[in-house]
Amino acid sequence: MLVFTNTETRSKQPFKPLADSDVKLYTCGPTVYNFAHIGNFRAIVAYDLLKRWLAARGFRVNHVMNITDVDDKTIRGARAAGIPLSAFTARYTAAFFDDCAALRILKPDITPAATAHIPQMIALVRTLVDKEFAYVAGDGSVYFAIGKFPAYGRLSHLDRGGLRDGARVAQDEYDKDNVCDFVLWKAWTEDDGGVKWDSPWGPGRPGWHLECSVMAREYLGDTLDVHMGGEDLVFPHHENEIAQSEAATGKPFVRFWLHNAYLQVDGRKMSKSLGNFHTLRDILARGYTGREVRYLLLSAHYRQPLNFTFTGLHAARSALQRLDDLRANLARAASAAGEARPEAQAAVDAARAAWTAALDDDLNTSAALAALFDLVRQANVWLQDGAMQGGDARAVLAFMDEADKVLAVAGADDAAPEEVTRLAAERAEARAAKNWARADEVRKKLAELGFTVEDTPAGPRVKRL
RNA sequence: GGUGGCGUAGUCAAGUGGUUAAGACGAUGGUUUGCAAAACCAUUAUUCAUCGGUUCGAAUCCGAUCGCCACCUCCA
């Protein structure tokens, strides 16, 4: 039985979409003001995992992920760069999708940009004003009155009394009825430069929380099956989304709230001042690959804090090479004749059952990987002692392929450089001639290029060190 | 200050009342190899931050203490 931990109830609940097997999924996307860092990508990979597992379980997923292309940071960034907001955000939107591709993220069905939905946002604000859930302040900003929405705090379980002492509530929050009221429409100020849209309340721009309510509704309807995001978004972002959406529609906004935990770096929060801030690009530039980062991000349960280290990234590389090696060996063995032995079939079935149970249990990837690696060891034993039948290899490979539809880590990201391939061939010749000195010399050269070479019955195989 | 999460081997990380406490990486010894690597075998937590308590039984439940992380108005 597929269960997810629902942040709203703080418990695991059996998952069933509202309509048959169609899942309406909304995930909070990036604010495109900079290159995304691996912490951001922990969330993105978690979304991808959810999607892939839902698909594996036979659901059709309709996935919407927003692109926040207007807010304080994007406006500030565009001004600093001296280019229009749209040009600025286009740059980082493209970079974001490139990074996603490197991480083998399936594209969402729709990735709506906030700036492309301003009329709908204005319409929602108008509805909220008409229904008296929102009020217009003196400067033309529109605020949501949380006092009018009794369920406020339902998701985050924060009691309103506690919110008053919030350390970051600005002292100059004029004009609000309640300090916790949040902005739906932000009146234009000089800092916004040319970024503004006309509205019934004067020029301005949408508040951040508004876009998700609007775009989720636009593409998925009033009630979503799953809404996912980082744990930091629980309050206020998601709380505010609930308030806006439910006040406007009178219907439940989200059935399952899923939140992923933070990524830590060297046991601490990732921050620029600590010098442990990594963008995906930085990591790729250091010679690691997207699938290695992906594997590392998948190696812990999404709701548990995960500690990122380069040691861990290297461990991911080793684990992936082990899977690659087995895959290559199985591919060769699979061409042999022979039915799968009952013993082998049983082992594969057991692995599949454990794998499924683990992922059904709130996407427990750690446990799922354990099931996979149990079978990996078993398969290696069969290869080792010559018991592997063609059918065995095909059965194991079939499961590995199935598992990889979810993990998406099989296959190297990049081929070895030509130079490396050439050296490997040269070394194979030297070995054939039993010129061991020359062979060792070439191997040393390869090591200098960051590669190692293995002699297998099928010929040399190069790997990254 | 309020709220929530976490602390399991050298590292990463499952497990949340009874299991030999998963799995990965690393390390050491062995088999194998031209030498290696990979693979396999063996070893690597009598113990789950600490201290108490509940229970026939606790890593798992309760309390206290220590440490880390996050949220408390625009950070995934």
Side-chain angles (χ1 to χ4, degrees):
Chain A
M1 182 174 61
L2 178 59
V3 300
F4 294 131
T5 299
N6 187 348
T7 305
E8 186 171 342
T9 59
R10 295 190 182 167
S11 62
K12 287 183 183 175
Q13 296 177 333
F15 177 73
K16 217 178 170 322
L18 210 50
D20 298 336
S21 54
D22 285 316
V23 177
K24 297 177 180 197
L25 170 66
Y26 186 92
T27 61
C28 282
T31 299
V32 283
Y33 72 105
N34 205 337
F35 296 115
H37 56 69
I38 49 171
N40 301 122
F41 284 114
R42 181 175 197 197
I44 306 294
V45 168
Y47 305 161
D48 194 59
L49 166 69
L50 168 68
K51 247 174 97 166
R52 287 172 180 269
W53 185 241
L54 286 172
R57 290 307 250 155
F59 294 103
R60 281 190 304 272
V61 181
N62 194 3
H63 178 203
V64 176
M65 180 170 74
N66 64 297
I67 302 292
T68 300
D69 60 351
V70 56
D71 79 323
D72 289 351
K73 284 176 299 204
T74 46
I75 291 171
R76 207 181 305 135
R79 289 195 86 176
I83 56 177
L85 179 65
S86 58
F88 180 78
T89 56
R91 177 190 296 172
Y92 291 110
T93 302
F96 174 75
F97 285 120
D98 285 348
D99 289 350
C100 284
L103 289 172
R104 307 182 179 191
I105 304 293
L106 296 174
K107 280 208 116 179
D109 297 280
I110 307 170
T111 49
T115 53
H117 298 77
I118 303 292
Q120 295 94 319
M121 295 189 202
I122 289 172
L124 186 75
V125 175
R126 193 199 293 271
T127 301
L128 292 171
V129 171
D130 289 348
K131 290 191 167 189
E132 297 185 347
F133 282 106
Y135 57 91
V136 185
D139 67 345
S141 289
V142 183
Y143 290 96
F144 187 95
I146 64 166
K148 298 277 181 63
F149 189 75
Y152 196 79
R154 188 176 86 209
L155 177 69
S156 55
H157 301 217
L158 285 176
D159 97 65
R160 276 186 239 170
L163 300 183
R164 303 223 165 199
D165 301 326
R168 284 202 254 158
V169 175
Q171 296 302 307
D172 59 352
E173 287 289 6
Y174 51 89
D175 263 357
K176 286 208 257 180
D177 291 353
N178 179 319
V179 287
C180 298
D181 289 351
F182 58 93
V183 71
L184 294 167
W185 184 261
K186 217 168 174 173
W188 181 85
T189 69
E190 277 182 26
D191 286 343
D192 295 336
V195 179
K196 61 181 172 198
W197 289 265
D198 286 330
S199 82
W201 316 283
R205 60 185 163 99
W208 174 46
H209 312 296
L210 192 61
E211 64 176 273
C212 290
S213 285
V214 165
M215 299 195 291
R217 189 181 187 192
E218 173 92 2
Y219 297 104
L220 297 171
D222 291 342
T223 300
L224 314 178
D225 288 305
V226 183
H227 189 137
M228 192 166 182
E231 62 179 350
D232 54 320
L233 299 182
V234 173
F235 188 90
H237 186 52
H238 291 158
E239 196 69 68
N240 292 350
E241 284 183 40
I242 291 174
Q244 292 161 349
S245 292
E246 298 194 354
T249 67
K251 294 178 192 159
F253 179 45
V254 169
R255 302 177 56 241
F256 284 81
W257 282 102
L258 269 53
H259 291 97
N260 63 277
Y262 252 66
L263 182 77
Q264 291 174 227
V265 174
D266 298 325
R268 319 230 60 173
K269 179 185 178 177
M270 180 163 50
S271 76
K272 280 177 179 156
S273 57
L274 286 171
N276 59 2
F277 191 93
H278 303 295
T279 63
L280 182 64
R281 281 150 200 261
D282 293 340
I283 292 169
L284 299 184
R286 286 170 78 149
Y288 291 95
T289 63
R291 69 166 183 152
E292 290 163 355
V293 175
R294 181 180 172 95
Y295 181 90
L296 179 60
L297 294 177
L298 287 172
S299 65
H301 184 90
Y302 77 96
R303 290 181 59 86
Q304 294 300 116
L306 167 64
N307 191 24
F308 175 90
T309 61
F310 280 95
T311 309
L313 196 51
H314 214 85
R317 166 171 298 180
S318 298
L320 289 177
Q321 284 176 342
R322 184 154 178 228
L323 294 175
D324 290 347
D325 284 346
L326 175 60
R327 223 169 230 291
N329 293 332
L330 286 173
R332 228 166 340 110
S335 59
E339 300 268 299
R341 292 166 300 142
E343 173 202 345
Q345 191 59 55
V348 172
D349 291 345
R352 182 179 283 112
W355 165 268
T356 303
L359 290 173
D360 268 358
D361 183 15
D362 199 27
L363 306 173
N364 189 338
T365 43
S366 303
L369 285 171
L372 175 64
F373 276 98
D374 276 337
L375 184 65
V376 166
R377 192 182 47 74
Q378 190 60 252
N380 275 320
V381 169
W382 298 332
L383 284 165
Q384 179 90 2
D385 61 21
M388 180 74 81
Q389 301 297 302
D392 298 348
R394 289 189 289 275
V396 174
L397 216 40
F399 172 65
M400 289 182 79
D401 285 341
E402 204 177 301
D404 200 63
K405 285 212 167 73
V406 180
L407 296 175
V409 293
D413 282 306
D414 50 351
E418 206 175 308
E419 166 90 0
V420 169
T421 314
R422 193 181 57 70
L423 285 171
E426 192 179 325
R427 179 165 174 282
E429 278 175 38
R431 289 189 73 238
K434 296 203 188 296
N435 185 351
W436 309 127
R438 178 66 190 146
D440 290 350
E441 198 180 306
V442 175
R443 184 159 59 196
K444 215 174 145 196
K445 265 199 207 167
L446 282 166
E448 281 162 17
L449 293 169
F451 285 81
T452 181
V453 60
E454 289 172 14
D455 303 317
T456 76
R461 185 183 301 160
V462 292
K463 290 185 186 178
R464 277 177 198 283
L465 280 172

